[in-house]
Amino acid sequence: MSAFWLVLMLPVVGSFLLALTSSLAVSGWLNVAFCALEFLSSVALAVQVHANGSLSLTGFQIDAFNVYLIMLTTFVGLTTAIFSRPYMKDVCEQGRLTRKRMRLYHAMFQMFLFTMLLALSSDNLGILWVAVEGATLATVLLVSLYRTPESIEAAWKYFILCGVGIALALFGTVLVYFAAQQVLPDAEAGLSWRVLYQHAGELDSRVMSIAFVFLLVGYGTKVGLVPMHFWLPDAHSEGPTPVSAVLSGLLLNVALYAVVRFKMLVDGSLQSTDTPAMAGLLMMAFGLLSFVVAVLSLQRQRDIKRMFSYSSIEHMGLMTFAFGMGGPLATFAALLHMLVHSLTKSAIFVTVGHASHIAGTQRIEHIRGLIRTQPGVGWGLLLGVAAIAGFPPFGVFTSEFLILSATIQSWPWLTVLLLGGLGVAFAGLFRNVQPMVYGAAPEGQVAVSANMLPVLVHLLAVLWLGLAIPAVLFGWLNDVTVLIAGEGL
Amino acid sequence: MNMGQLSLLEQGIAVLAALVLFTSFALLAQSRLTSAIHSFAWQGAGVALVTALVAFSSHTPHLYLSAVLTLGLKSLLIPWMLHRLVRQLNMERLVENITHPALLLLTGAALVIFSYWVSLPIEKLGLGNTRNIVAISLSVVLLGLWMMVSRRQVIAQVLGFMSMENGLFLAAVASTRGMPLVVELGVAFDVLVAAVLFGIFFFHISESIESLDVDRLNRLSEREESA
């Protein structure tokens, strides 16, 4: 139990402490230290949950599904903090940031982690909503950190679009609570996910299907599903790079987590109606649309961070599609894809941060010859892109292969679309990355102090997952699959 | 459903909910910012009054707290903050040019009809007044959304956003006797933080584009990217 409270309270304490620390050298390390402690306690929590099956506290519920995302969150948080310490110090020394705003940055970084962890661990659908909205508020401040007109505009768009989206999700949550009140003896428990899931079959199917539409559109806005995705490329390209890494690696996952939880409820309530798979079909449609639009938009990007944010939309679409398809194979594949995508994408954003420091711009056509100026960054970008494009032996290949196999089993004709899309995405990414890595370096381009450790760790992990999924992790993901799909692989 | 079959209290709730919907329309068409802020304040007061009535009729004491919270936050504090901002930014006399007011309101009316259609299945649960309330609150939400889409002034957009929250609150209160207290406090906290953030952003936006017209927030677009 204590491990859980540590996981939840550490970021809050960290946030307040960092808000008070004005020394740059101290706050960078303090941020890393807090993230390391959070990671360690989440490992302890995972061990506990693994031993007991699940952990229930008043208001909180930790099972195999969320503990896996909690660990992923704290891990990516830690590596991003390690990257952000020297990176943000550099930014500050260049004069793009004042001390005061560095304090804001560190405090909000921890606050963001807290809201993510709260959203993941809460048993209460209302608190889940409050936490996701809290994450929006924390990241709005992070996105607008540089205070350029562009970043203000991106943050405003993000604020408005996600605010509206999340408001619709609240309406869906209210409807779920309303449906629960009609059947539950204890009305106050109507937002507890644990209780609701036990009574899913009794919930009124008509109310639940209306609710799901609102929930999917609402949380889908945060997942970055097309056509509610417009905030995503702007927020990713204008915010500081560590923020892009955590947005892509963590926030999108948590929003998708919420959608999947609600899908489990709605599936239960629609079981005996004539449209039992309605929730899944909706998710598949949104997922495919996002996938296709993102793959095509990827082609015309001129800004390196924008390009990779479209790649995030592509992969989130793929996961939503797979979760929507349901069944053990697709669910397992989607879970694995969540993991490898988070690891790879945050590694890529870290590298991109260094690459744009070297070139002094985010414009793709001005970034050239990375491998000559600084081989570490060049190789990092090349391998990261190979991994995200689904090259074997990286883990993304495994999960995409599994998603494709599941598609062949249940929706064979969609495989064509998926394969074609993956090919087009691959072409778009490499067409742009190849000259950035190999092209002739401009005169006077010099290496920057780069911290490639997080990239190395992430890419090695993804490589390992591609070569062999450790038995522990396989068992763990399989438990989650059983939880979501009813049966394991 | 026959209004006469409802108790006096329920009738009161229905009338008040209708008034809240009316203020939504007032907000939508109001081109002077200060008047729009007033409409918003009245809407907040209406929602607070509905909450208090529901608390009285269903004997749920924690709803009184929500009523006070709504009154304080939505009809006093936030309108006051917005007023102060408008004064500081010298926008008191500003009148937004609404291009097609009739079309704006007709679409609003269509949205109300749509909300009633969406909440049809709830009627089949046979819960009398609930369907009306759900439909009205969904209308308030959609009208807020429509206001954000159609209006160009940043402050009008914020008012739309906040009135969406009002609609959500109305739905929670009137259809389910309010969410559990901890959730309501969380939501209220989020709304408050959002309002403060909005205030901060007004200054940044007006500093960076020298106006609060969203049409001028156009630096980031796909078109420019490919050019």
Side-chain angles (χ1 to χ4, degrees):
Chain A
M1 296 236 193
S2 52
F4 169 69
W5 292 116
L6 271 182
V7 168
L8 209 57
M9 292 326 292
L10 273 172
V12 181
V13 177
S15 175
F16 281 104
L17 218 56
L18 282 163
L20 298 174
T21 315
S22 55
S23 158
L24 266 185
V26 177
S27 61
W29 282 113
L30 206 58
N31 195 26
V32 174
F34 267 101
C35 287
L37 287 176
E38 283 150 27
F39 176 62
L40 288 179
S41 30
S42 81
V43 172
L45 178 70
V47 171
Q48 250 177 45
V49 173
H50 192 69
N52 302 331
S54 72
L55 200 64
S56 302
L57 300 124
T58 33
F60 297 97
Q61 157 86 12
I62 322 275
D63 52 30
F65 189 12
N66 42 25
V67 80
Y68 138 81
L69 285 170
I70 287 174
M71 218 172 118
L72 182 62
T73 302
T74 51
F75 178 70
V76 175
L78 171 62
T79 50
T80 312
I82 294 175
F83 156 69
S84 101
R85 192 190 57 83
Y87 181 88
M88 293 309 281
K89 217 172 111 210
D90 269 9
V91 170
C92 199
E93 275 156 12
Q94 285 169 15
R96 288 169 78 188
L97 280 180
T98 58
R99 295 260 162 133
K100 210 171 137 202
R101 260 186 266 144
M102 279 298 281
R103 265 158 63 183
L104 179 76
Y105 166 78
H106 280 123
M108 283 303 133
F109 189 85
Q110 290 292 332
M111 200 37 97
F112 170 71
L113 285 181
F114 166 70
T115 53
M116 296 279 89
L117 295 167
L118 179 65
L120 287 170
S121 57
S122 172
D123 177 42
N124 186 312
L125 297 178
I127 298 295
L128 170 71
W129 183 89
V130 170
V132 175
E133 167 82 0
T136 314
L137 300 177
T139 39
V140 160
L141 286 172
L142 288 175
V143 169
S144 67
L145 200 70
Y146 290 148
R147 300 279 196 268
T148 57
E150 286 86 1
S151 70
I152 298 277
E153 183 187 336
W156 180 256
K157 248 190 209 176
Y158 172 49
F159 196 1
I160 290 290
L161 212 56
C162 283
V164 168
I166 210 83
L168 294 179
L170 184 58
F171 193 76
T173 311
V174 169
L175 285 178
V176 170
Y177 186 51
F178 169 69
Q181 282 203 327
Q182 315 302 320
V183 291
L184 291 184
D186 175 17
E188 282 285 303
L191 280 173
S192 156
W193 194 85
R194 212 178 334 165
V195 177
L196 279 175
Y197 191 56
Q198 280 161 10
H199 294 267
E202 303 157 39
L203 299 175
D204 185 85
S205 57
R206 290 161 304 200
V207 178
M208 288 303 280
S209 41
I210 301 176
F212 187 73
V213 174
F214 281 100
L215 288 162
L216 181 61
V217 171
Y219 286 115
T221 312
K222 283 221 95 126
V223 181
L225 294 181
V226 174
M228 297 88 74
H229 69 289
F230 288 103
W231 62 273
L232 199 147
D234 294 344
H236 280 60
S237 61
E238 299 308 324
T241 306
V243 176
S244 320
V246 286
L247 279 180
S248 258
L250 303 177
L251 181 76
L252 308 184
N253 277 352
V254 172
L256 186 60
Y257 161 85
V259 174
V260 173
R261 286 267 166 178
F262 278 108
K263 176 184 182 263
M264 290 161 74
L265 276 187
V266 178
D267 276 350
S269 113
L270 293 186
Q271 234 160 28
S272 50
T273 60
D274 43 345
T275 51
M278 175 276 217
L281 288 175
L282 270 177
M283 281 173 74
M284 281 172 70
F286 268 108
L288 263 189
L289 182 68
S290 315
F291 176 76
V292 171
V293 171
V295 157
L296 294 176
S297 315
L298 197 90
Q299 306 294 324
R300 38 182 282 193
Q301 299 308 315
R302 297 285 177 276
D303 181 305
I304 183 166
K305 280 165 94 181
R306 276 186 98 85
M307 181 174 82
F308 285 115
S309 59
Y310 273 104
S311 151
S312 288
I313 300 178
E314 172 208 338
H315 288 278
M316 291 323 282
L318 207 57
M319 283 174 230
T320 311
F321 171 77
F323 273 124
M325 204 155 45
L329 183 59
T331 308
F332 184 89
L335 289 168
L336 185 62
H337 200 74
M338 246 177 168
L339 178 64
V340 289
H341 172 254
S342 290
L343 292 175
T344 321
K345 196 43 77 54
S346 40
I348 288 181
F349 273 116
V350 168
T351 332
V352 163
H354 289 315
S356 50
H357 256 192
I358 294 175
T361 172
Q362 284 176 205
R363 306 288 290 182
I364 288 174
E365 69 254 32
H366 297 312
I367 305 178
R368 286 292 177 265
L370 289 177
I371 212 158
R372 247 162 268 181
T373 314
Q374 195 162 10
V377 175
W379 277 107
L381 189 62
L382 194 67
L383 290 177
V385 169
I388 206 72
F391 264 78
F394 287 103
V396 182
F397 172 75
T398 322
S399 56
E400 280 178 356
F401 184 79
L402 289 176
I403 292 178
L404 283 172
S405 331
T407 319
I408 291 174
Q409 276 177 18
S410 38
W411 300 80
W413 43 276
L414 286 181
T415 330
V416 183
L417 195 64
L418 288 182
L419 269 178
L422 289 174
V424 173
F426 156 72
L429 285 173
F430 266 86
R431 186 172 51 103
N432 286 325
V433 165
Q434 203 266 344
M436 282 196 278
V437 174
Y438 288 114
E443 294 264 329
Q445 181 164 284
V446 287
V448 296
S449 67
N451 183 358
M452 297 303 284
L453 182 73
V455 181
L456 192 71
V457 173
H458 281 207
L459 288 182
L460 277 179
V462 175
L463 184 66
W464 187 23
L465 287 175
L467 293 171
I469 299 178
V472 182
L473 186 68
F474 179 83
W476 196 358
L477 289 182
N478 208 31
D479 287 348
V480 187
T481 311
V482 174
L483 206 70
I484 299 174
E487 51 185 320
L489 265 188
Chain B
M1 182 188 60
N2 189 350
M3 271 291 169
Q5 288 164 351
L6 297 172
S7 73
L8 214 54
L9 271 175
E10 279 181 308
Q11 287 185 31
I13 293 172
V15 170
L16 274 172
L19 281 177
V20 170
L21 182 60
F22 173 73
T23 53
S24 255
F25 274 100
L27 260 177
L28 191 62
Q30 194 63 259
S31 54
R32 192 186 287 275
L33 278 180
T34 38
S35 317
I37 294 173
H38 289 152
S39 309
F40 172 73
W42 281 113
Q43 186 173 55
V47 174
L49 208 52
V50 172
T51 315
L53 274 185
V54 171
F56 181 71
S57 72
S58 65
H59 310 290
T60 28
H62 92 253
L63 272 185
Y64 285 119
L65 185 63
S66 329
V68 174
L69 214 61
T70 317
L71 189 73
L73 206 60
K74 293 285 184 54
S75 88
L76 298 174
L77 184 63
I78 292 177
W80 175 75
M81 277 169 55
L82 288 173
H83 244 300
R84 225 182 51 154
L85 281 168
V86 166
R87 233 179 305 132
Q88 281 171 353
L89 294 166
N90 277 329
M91 295 173 63
E92 280 159 301
R93 309 236 159 269
L94 192 97
V95 176
E96 191 184 343
N97 186 17
I98 299 174
T99 34
H100 297 290
L103 198 64
L104 193 73
L105 287 175
L106 277 179
T107 317
L111 284 175
V112 176
I113 295 168
F114 173 74
S115 312
Y116 267 85
W117 177 75
V118 168
S119 46
L120 259 181
I122 294 169
E123 190 190 25
K124 295 187 184 124
L125 286 173
L127 286 162
N129 218 357
T130 310
R131 179 199 166 198
N132 265 318
I133 299 282
V134 170
I136 286 180
S137 34
L138 182 57
S139 311
V140 173
V141 171
L142 291 180
L143 286 172
L145 188 59
W146 176 229
M147 182 167 171
M148 294 179 73
V149 174
S150 56
R151 301 285 292 268
R152 309 268 44 118
Q153 275 295 325
V154 169
I155 293 187
Q157 286 195 332
V158 171
L159 286 173
F161 180 81
M162 293 282 168
S163 84
M164 274 180 85
E165 297 269 354
N166 274 343
L168 292 169
F169 198 77
L170 190 65
V173 164
S175 69
T176 66
R177 312 272 164 273
M179 310 267 261
L181 188 61
V182 51
V183 177
E184 258 173 37
L185 289 179
V187 172
F189 177 72
D190 276 344
V191 169
L192 186 63
V193 175
V196 173
L197 276 185
F198 275 133
I200 298 174
F201 264 88
F202 287 161
F203 282 106
H204 290 314
I205 291 178
S206 71
E207 221 170 85
S208 77
I209 62 172
E210 279 152 14
S211 98
L212 280 176
D213 193 329
V214 214
D215 274 345
R216 298 185 50 186
L217 279 178
N218 55 6
R219 284 169 185 252
L220 300 169
S221 77
E222 295 297 329
R223 240 175 333 165
E224 189 215 36
E225 280 301 314
S226 58

